């Protein structure tokens, strides 16, 4: 049971390049999330997927797109990277089975992205 | 608007001393509250969570937190800090579990340093 995995762990891009961050979970969770973490800003939600086949914008969606490929995988794409997208990106999945005791978000190890 | 405030950006505590990290929230409904810890270069690990019931909740690593509705607070405490507790701590508020897709709203974090 690997939990939430993310690839790559590190990436350096030039302005204008594109890339896709991959996220997978093996816990059979319905909901998945992408956050970005910037110094002094905490974590901010980019996009989320409440269930397979649905995606919704979060607080800071501009410049990003997502795909919920199947129940396990939720990818984040930067079509034309900008220096402002330099950040640490975290994927999370949510264990929600209709009862409060089980409601927990599990986080991946993160992807450190630098855009030059 | 929903928000989480962690008033202390950085705290230094002597090893063996007690610790209290503050968290205040603004949320229109019954809050579901979480504390996460992030060690350098790592993802986020759940310390504890509060949904209902006893307002004093116990977590992992000897941490506890107390929910005070009248003060809109959910402060994290530990009676005796260990050097390994040095990390960044995030308070978060979430929607009730039946809102399956809703993400967490995070505070900006408090960095804990432990001195010997």
């Amino acid at each position: 049971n690997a939990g939430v995995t993310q690839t790559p762990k590190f990436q350096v891009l030039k302005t204008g390049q594109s890339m896709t961050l991959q996220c997978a979970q093996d816990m059979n969770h319905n909901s998945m999330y992408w956050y970005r973490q910037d110094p002094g800003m905490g974590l901010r939600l980019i996009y989320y997927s409440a269930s397979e086949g649905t995606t919704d914008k979060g607080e800071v969606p501009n410049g990003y797109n997502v795909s919920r490929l199947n129940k396990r995988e939720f990818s984040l794409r930067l079509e034309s990277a900008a220096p402002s997208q330099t950040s640490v990106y975290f994927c999370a999945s949510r264990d929600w089975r209709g009862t409060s005791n089980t409601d927990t978000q599990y986080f991946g190890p993160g992807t450190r992205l630098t855009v030059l | 608007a929903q928000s989480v405030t962690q008033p202390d950006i950085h705290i230094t505590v002597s090893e063996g001393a007690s610790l209290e990290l503050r968290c205040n929230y603004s949320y229109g409904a019954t809050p579901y509250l979480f504390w996460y810890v992030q060690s350098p270069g790592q993802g986020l690990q759940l310390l504890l969570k509060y949904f209902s019931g006893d307002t004093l909740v116990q977590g992992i690593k000897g941490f506890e937190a107390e929910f005070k509705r009248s003060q809109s607070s959910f402060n994290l405490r530990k009676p005796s800090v260990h050097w390994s507790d040095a990390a960044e701590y995030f308070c978060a508020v979430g929607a009730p579990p039946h809102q399956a897709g809703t993400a967490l709203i995070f505070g900006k974090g408090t960095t804990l340093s432990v001195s010997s």
Side-chain angles (χ1 to χ4, degrees), chain B:
Chain B
Q2 302 157 1
S3 65
V4 176
T5 301
Q6 293 180 246
D8 304 305
I9 296 174
H10 191 185
I11 285 180
T12 299
V13 175
S14 299
E15 190 171 16
S18 63
L19 169 70
E20 182 170 31
L21 300 182
R22 297 183 291 165
C23 173
N24 295 97
Y25 66 89
S26 174
Y27 198 76
T30 301
Y32 289 74
L33 297 157
F34 305 80
W35 275 100
Y36 282 86
V37 60
Q38 183 182 31
S39 298
Q42 303 298 311
L44 278 74
Q45 181 183 22
L46 179 69
L47 284 175
L48 48 78
K49 58 187 177 183
Y50 170 78
F51 292 137
S52 65
D54 192 347
T55 56
L56 184 64
V57 293
Q58 303 296 321
I60 62 171
K61 305 184 179 185
F63 286 92
E64 66 178 27
E66 185 171 13
F67 170 60
K68 293 185 177 180
R69 185 185 296 275
S70 61
Q71 298 178 17
S72 297
S73 69
F74 188 57
N75 294 347
L76 182 71
R77 301 194 294 248
K78 187 170 185 178
S80 178
V81 169
H82 188 262
W83 64 266
S84 61
D85 293 324
E88 191 162 18
Y89 292 80
F90 293 95
C91 181
V93 64
H98 64 269
Q99 296 180 26
T102 307
L104 296 176
I105 299 168
F106 284 85
K108 295 184 179 181
T110 298
T111 299
L112 172 66
S113 298
V114 180
S115 61
S116 56

Side-chain angles (χ1 to χ4, degrees), chain A residues 31 33 35 37 40-43 45 48 50 90 94 96 100-105 107-109 112, chain B residues 34 36 38 41-44 46 49 51 90 95-104 106-108:
Chain A
S31 301
Y33 308 82
Y35 295 88
Q37 182 181 31
M41 298 295 292
L43 278 78
L45 181 68
Y48 67 97
F90 288 100
R94 182 176 178 184
W96 176 72
S100 60
N101 287 342
T102 61
D103 192 1
T104 300
Q105 282 198 24
F107 286 80
R112 295 183 175 274
Chain B
F34 305 80
Y36 282 86
Q38 183 182 31
Q42 303 298 311
L44 278 74
L46 179 69
K49 58 187 177 183
F51 292 137
F90 293 95
H98 64 269
Q99 296 180 26
T102 307
L104 296 176
F106 284 85
K108 295 184 179 181

Side-chain angles (χ1 to χ4, degrees), chain A:
Chain A
N1 189 337
V4 180
T5 58
Q6 294 182 234
T7 56
K9 291 187 178 180
F10 301 93
Q11 184 71 50
V12 178
L13 294 177
K14 295 180 180 179
T15 297
Q17 288 185 317
S18 62
M19 79 161 295
T20 299
L21 281 64
Q22 306 288 351
C23 173
Q25 53 93 7
D26 61 1
M27 297 175 283
N28 201 35
H29 293 169
N30 285 318
S31 301
M32 297 184 72
Y33 308 82
W34 276 106
Y35 295 88
R36 60 176 289 174
Q37 182 181 31
D38 302 292
M41 298 295 292
L43 278 78
R44 294 179 293 169
L45 181 68
I46 305 172
Y47 271 92
Y48 67 97
S49 171
S51 60
E52 187 178 355
T54 68
T55 60
D56 285 285
K57 296 178 180 179
E59 180 184 354
V60 288
N62 291 344
Y64 305 95
N65 285 300
V66 290
S67 295
R68 184 72 183 268
L69 305 171
N70 48 55
K71 192 172 186 179
R72 290 186 65 250
E73 299 171 289
F74 187 39
S75 63
L76 178 71
R77 183 162 178 83
L78 286 70
E79 292 290 350
S80 178
S84 61
Q85 293 178 304
T86 294
S87 187
V88 181
Y89 292 85
F90 288 100
C91 178
S93 69
R94 182 176 178 184
D95 180 11
W96 176 72
R97 285 170 264 165
T99 61
S100 60
N101 287 342
T102 61
D103 192 1
T104 300
Q105 282 198 24
Y106 295 87
F107 286 80
T111 294
R112 295 183 175 274
L113 175 66
T114 300
V115 183
L116 302 175

